[in-house]
Amino acid sequence: MSSTTDPSDADQALKARHRAMWALGDYPSVATEVIPELGPVLVRACEVAAGQRVLDVAAGSGNAAVPAAQAGADVVASDLTPELLETGRAATAELGLRLRWEQGDAERLPYGDAEFDVVMSCVGVMFAPHHQDSADELVRVCRPGGTIGLVNWTPEGFIGQMFATMKPYAAPPPPGAQPPPLWGSEQHVRQLFGDRVTDVRAERRTVRVDVFSDAAGFRDFFKRCYGPTIAAYRNIGDDPDRVAALDHALDELAMRNDLGWGAMDWEYLLFTARRA
């Protein structure tokens, strides 16, 4: 007798693994210490204004949601991982900002059709495994004429290279899951949205990262704070030789991208469009 797995059960198990991965380490420190300018860049590109209804998808601890709220928008920060939402909720309470922090799956957003004026995601939705499902949801919850805005790491940029470096050491992705850095390809994103969006603007930019004194500082920070890196090391934790090899590979990556004094430029795609 053979047994089969219900696709919905497999999907729930996959989402549970994703939640657990992003709860590892300290992603809020990555957002606030390493790439703090990306959220404000996205908010400005989306022209977020007071009174608008804004949804930040895969919001993490609020890298984009917080500056949107500071602009006076009515903001919902949605993420699959409740631990990240709790960190964001605590931080915004100290700032006196009012946001709604709600757990939600980017591939099945718990919101009505055309509910938001702006739907955005800052290096977040790219990590949902089924890209078309996520793109369909971004369009669905955005009102006609509303703005969809994304910041995503490019395949060729530093973080895209980092994922390629970690791939041989990480657990294999489940069937059907697509690589996150594809969201940093303009062609891929245009294909996901198709003719459902107009006024597309896509621009490759870089963010200057200069918080690490050397390659080892970068590697150790990501081993401690960044969920995907922690998960890759856990996958090879019983093999010291492979751990040493990944250490070396990440060090080499950082050194290849070092502009001097520990500074690096990490490339991302800034994408905005109007819902047709």
Side-chain angles (χ1 to χ4, degrees):
M1 180 181 296
S2 62
S3 60
T4 59
T5 301
D6 187 320
S8 63
D9 291 341
D11 188 61
Q12 289 302 311
L14 172 60
K15 298 304 171 62
R17 291 197 296 274
H18 271 239
R19 282 195 299 271
M21 180 183 71
W22 287 108
L24 295 171
D26 184 8
Y27 183 75
S29 289
V30 179
T32 59
E33 297 176 24
V34 183
I35 53 171
E37 70 183 70
L38 288 188
V41 164
L42 180 58
V43 169
R44 289 193 297 271
C46 291
E47 300 180 346
V48 172
Q52 287 185 319
R53 301 162 298 166
V54 175
L55 176 64
D56 186 6
V57 179
S61 54
N63 194 18
V66 169
Q70 290 172 326
D74 178 11
V75 181
V76 177
S78 173
D79 199 275
L80 190 66
T81 304
E83 291 87 347
L84 298 180
L85 297 174
E86 285 301 319
T87 300
R89 183 180 290 113
T92 51
E94 292 181 1
L95 294 172
L97 295 173
R98 297 183 62 184
L99 292 79
R100 289 160 52 195
W101 298 89
E102 299 178 349
Q103 186 173 6
D105 181 350
E107 297 177 0
R108 295 179 181 84
L109 291 169
Y111 306 108
D113 295 352
E115 189 169 334
F116 297 94
D117 301 303
V118 177
V119 180
M120 62 183 184
S121 184
C122 183
V123 294
V125 74
M126 65 182 292
F127 292 102
H130 307 110
H131 295 186
Q132 191 63 63
D133 290 346
S134 297
D136 292 348
E137 285 293 270
L138 296 177
V139 172
R140 181 184 67 80
V141 300
C142 186
R143 68 166 175 82
T147 299
I148 297 172
L150 306 169
V151 164
N152 294 312
W153 302 120
T154 65
E156 301 83 6
F158 182 84
I159 296 296
Q161 295 177 49
M162 186 184 76
F163 274 92
T165 299
M166 295 191 302
K167 183 178 179 180
Y169 304 92
Q178 294 175 279
L182 274 179
W183 274 96
S185 163
E186 179 183 346
Q187 180 181 5
H188 181 67
V189 180
R190 283 180 176 271
Q191 288 175 342
L192 291 175
F193 290 128
D195 61 4
R196 297 175 297 175
V197 299
T198 63
D199 301 327
V200 171
R201 295 183 179 182
E203 180 184 356
R204 288 184 178 232
R205 296 187 179 184
T206 59
V207 57
R208 175 64 53 87
V209 175
D210 56 7
V211 296
F212 307 115
S213 59
D214 55 25
F218 151 75
R219 180 239 304 156
D220 290 344
F221 181 88
F222 269 66
K223 286 176 70 171
R224 183 174 68 253
C225 296
Y226 195 61
T229 307
I230 297 169
Y233 274 97
R234 287 190 175 185
N235 187 57
I236 58 173
D238 59 352
D239 189 336
D241 290 340
R242 298 193 75 201
V243 169
L246 181 52
D247 280 348
H248 179 68
L250 290 176
D251 286 351
E252 283 199 327
L253 172 66
M255 288 187 286
R256 286 199 307 272
N257 286 271
D258 187 0
L259 301 174
W261 303 283
M264 296 181 279
D265 284 341
W266 295 2
E267 187 182 61
Y268 62 91
L269 178 72
L270 176 62
F271 180 97
T272 61
R274 298 281 182 187
R275 181 184 168 183

